[in-house]
Amino acid sequence: MERTITIIGGGVIGISLAYALVKVGQKVTLIDQEDGVGKGASFANGAQLSYRYVSPLADKGVPLQGIQWLGRSDSPLNLRFRFSLEQWQWLMQFTLACNQKTNKINGAHILRLSLLSQSVLQDWRENDNLDDFCWKKSGKMIIHRHQSDFDKAASKIDPEFQEVLNQDQIVEKEPSLKHAYSDLKGAIYAPNDETADAYLYCVALLNKLKESDLFTLMTNTKVIAIHGSDTIHSITTSQGKIDVQELVIASGNGATELLNPMDIKLPIYPLKGYSLTVPFPEESGIVPNASVTDYGHKTVYAKLGDRLRIAAMVDIGYDASIRQNRINALKKTVKSTFPELQGVDEADVWAGLRPSTPKGPPILGKTRYSNLWLNVGHGSLGFTLAAGSAAVLSALICQNQSPIDLTGLSLP
């Protein structure tokens, strides 16, 4: 029997799922409150498809570092306490997860999903001719400015997919880092990681979906309420009431507000990140060709055609507005690392709220309602995990087995 799957949320997560479902012959209605797809946390993210670097933010030593960074505009993490039970519950769970053992376990859960995601996106690119989103097998280099951080990272590499670089090897591979030479202790390099523009990816998928009669897009449509007891039968939106057969929540931070009245409590909290997008001259050596993560500054650099995307920082307890002191600090870091790069002061500035779980892994699968599904909580790895999450949800909704073990990736 033909059924329509309604998906709430048109970012990288929701539109990837829509594409996966239409590919297997399902009817899909995609709903988003913006005037187009990919306009929320997907819009100007760090642009890294970082398949093998998926360690959760919750790790040994992070709470102490957070306390030491309080009040510093240039710190990788800023925290503002609120009179919010939601925030305190999230922070408690996050703190409990900040140990080496838990980090390793949750990192392994995310890695299963990320490697699936890499395979699925490769299939879409090669077999479906999905393109025009600045995809590149750029490789990824994580540079370390502190010996202890470098030693720890070097001890954990998988030599089949990663290699350790010394100062000279770093600059030989990426001449643009020559100005940071004296500060570098070493780097980890993964040649198979990728970069792409998340917003253009959403647009590319939408263009594919528009070719199918199975797909319907509803924009400028806010979902206000979900209705049902054991089974969801309808939703109320700003455009009126809509009957549903299968319903997927892929609305990021908006999922908690929608599901709280359904007595589904999601451990998701918005963590704000910032980005700059800078046009740059094509001269060799000005910016890195590989994707670069500056571990000490928690800053990522990714080349997107004739632009450089720079993303950094985590703000906990803030709204989506842009804090100028954070932008100024980010620009200072960029200028010190790449002093030949012009146009930093005129860069396009963006901030987005990443829907994050305290332990790191997203939440995928069915709820206690027979036709209500979750595809939420991907945090800063939404782009990396989108295609894999789509493959998982598509299989489950079609009553097939998940392509990977979902231990640690489902609603508790």
Side-chain angles (χ1 to χ4, degrees):
M1 183 176 67
E2 186 179 79
R3 294 175 68 78
T4 297
I5 295 93
T6 302
I7 303 171
I8 302 174
V12 287
I13 302 302
I15 198 164
S16 295
L17 176 57
Y19 186 70
L21 287 166
V22 168
K23 273 176 63 69
V24 294
Q26 300 295 318
K27 292 185 67 176
V28 173
T29 297
L30 181 65
I31 300 175
D32 197 89
Q33 64 183 356
E34 303 292 341
D35 61 1
V37 298
K39 295 289 188 74
S42 309
F43 183 69
N45 73 357
Q48 292 186 335
L49 293 164
S50 183
Y51 296 113
R52 290 191 174 273
Y53 291 95
V54 292
S55 178
L57 176 64
D59 199 0
K60 180 181 178 182
V62 171
L64 179 59
Q65 286 180 318
I67 293 171
Q68 293 171 339
W69 287 330
L70 283 173
R72 285 179 46 187
S73 63
D74 63 343
S75 66
L77 188 152
N78 263 196
L79 170 64
R80 182 172 70 178
F81 292 108
R82 292 182 171 274
F83 292 107
S84 163
L85 179 60
E86 178 188 13
Q87 186 196 60
W88 283 94
Q89 288 175 332
W90 191 94
L91 287 172
M92 179 62 71
Q93 293 180 59
F94 176 80
T95 302
L96 292 173
C98 285
N99 62 79
Q100 197 169 25
K101 179 181 178 181
T102 303
N103 177 272
K104 184 177 181 180
I105 291 171
N106 289 317
H109 295 326
I110 302 172
L111 181 62
R112 288 198 309 279
L113 181 58
S114 71
L115 295 181
L116 171 65
S117 200
Q118 184 176 31
S119 174
V120 173
L121 184 55
Q122 180 179 353
D123 175 67
W124 292 355
R125 288 189 300 98
E126 295 179 356
N127 295 323
D128 298 354
N129 296 314
L130 183 69
D131 56 12
D132 295 330
F133 58 102
C134 299
W135 179 89
K136 182 181 178 182
K137 185 179 176 181
S138 59
K140 177 171 179 174
M141 182 185 294
I142 300 183
I143 60 174
H144 290 275
R145 299 173 185 263
H146 301 286
Q147 192 66 48
S148 59
D149 290 338
F150 174 59
D151 291 342
K152 180 181 177 182
S155 69
K156 295 180 177 180
I157 71 161
D158 183 339
E160 183 178 355
F161 301 101
Q162 300 158 319
E163 57 185 289
V164 176
L165 306 179
N166 61 31
Q167 286 173 299
D168 292 332
Q169 291 169 324
I170 292 171
V171 175
E172 180 181 359
K173 194 172 290 290
E174 283 297 344
S176 62
L177 290 168
K178 61 183 180 291
H179 300 285
Y181 180 90
S182 60
D183 290 335
L184 300 176
K185 303 303 179 184
I188 310 300
Y189 180 65
N192 294 322
D193 274 6
E194 305 161 9
T195 51
D197 187 307
Y199 171 67
L200 293 182
Y201 164 83
C202 292
V203 173
L205 285 179
L206 179 60
N207 289 335
K208 290 282 187 182
L209 285 164
K210 284 179 176 178
E211 298 172 2
S212 173
D213 293 336
L214 297 173
F215 176 72
T216 301
L217 176 65
M218 297 180 63
T219 56
N220 296 306
T221 304
K222 181 176 176 58
V223 179
I224 299 167
I226 301 171
H227 309 288
S229 50
D230 295 332
T231 302
I232 305 303
H233 56 75
S234 63
I235 57 176
T236 297
T237 78
S238 57
Q239 304 298 322
K241 199 168 185 179
I242 299 173
D243 292 335
V244 299
Q245 296 174 323
E246 302 282 344
L247 181 65
V248 184
I249 309 299
S251 52
N253 295 302
T256 54
E257 182 180 355
L258 277 176
L259 293 176
N260 279 340
M262 312 297 294
D263 199 29
I264 298 175
K265 307 300 181 185
L266 298 178
I268 293 175
Y269 197 76
L271 305 188
K272 181 161 64 174
Y274 299 85
S275 78
L276 307 173
T277 303
V278 185
F280 63 88
E282 289 292 339
E283 288 87 347
S284 176
I286 298 295
V287 297
N289 285 308
S291 160
V292 169
T293 296
D294 186 336
Y295 186 84
H297 289 127
K298 300 295 187 291
T299 303
V300 303
Y301 302 86
K303 186 177 177 182
L304 297 172
D306 59 357
R307 299 164 294 148
L308 181 68
R309 176 68 48 76
I310 305 147
M313 301 175 175
V314 176
D315 281 356
I316 304 175
Y318 293 86
D319 60 23
S321 63
I322 292 171
R323 300 168 61 205
Q324 192 58 46
N325 64 333
R326 297 291 265 163
I327 294 299
N328 293 342
L330 178 55
K331 289 180 177 179
K332 183 177 179 181
T333 297
V334 175
K335 290 176 182 178
S336 67
T337 305
F338 300 104
E340 296 176 335
L341 177 62
Q342 303 297 312
V344 175
D345 286 330
E346 292 75 43
D348 291 332
V349 176
W350 177 84
L353 298 174
R354 307 154 178 157
S356 305
T357 63
K359 295 181 180 180
I363 302 170
L364 310 177
K366 185 175 280 191
T367 68
R368 63 182 178 83
Y369 295 86
S370 63
N371 62 339
L372 178 62
W373 306 85
L374 301 178
N375 193 2
V376 294
H378 296 75
S380 62
L381 292 171
F383 193 15
T384 296
L385 302 177
S389 298
V392 168
L393 265 294
S394 176
L396 295 177
I397 291 169
C398 294
Q399 299 183 355
N400 297 320
Q401 185 175 353
S402 168
I404 60 170
D405 177 10
L406 292 181
T407 301
L409 296 168
S410 302
L411 191 66

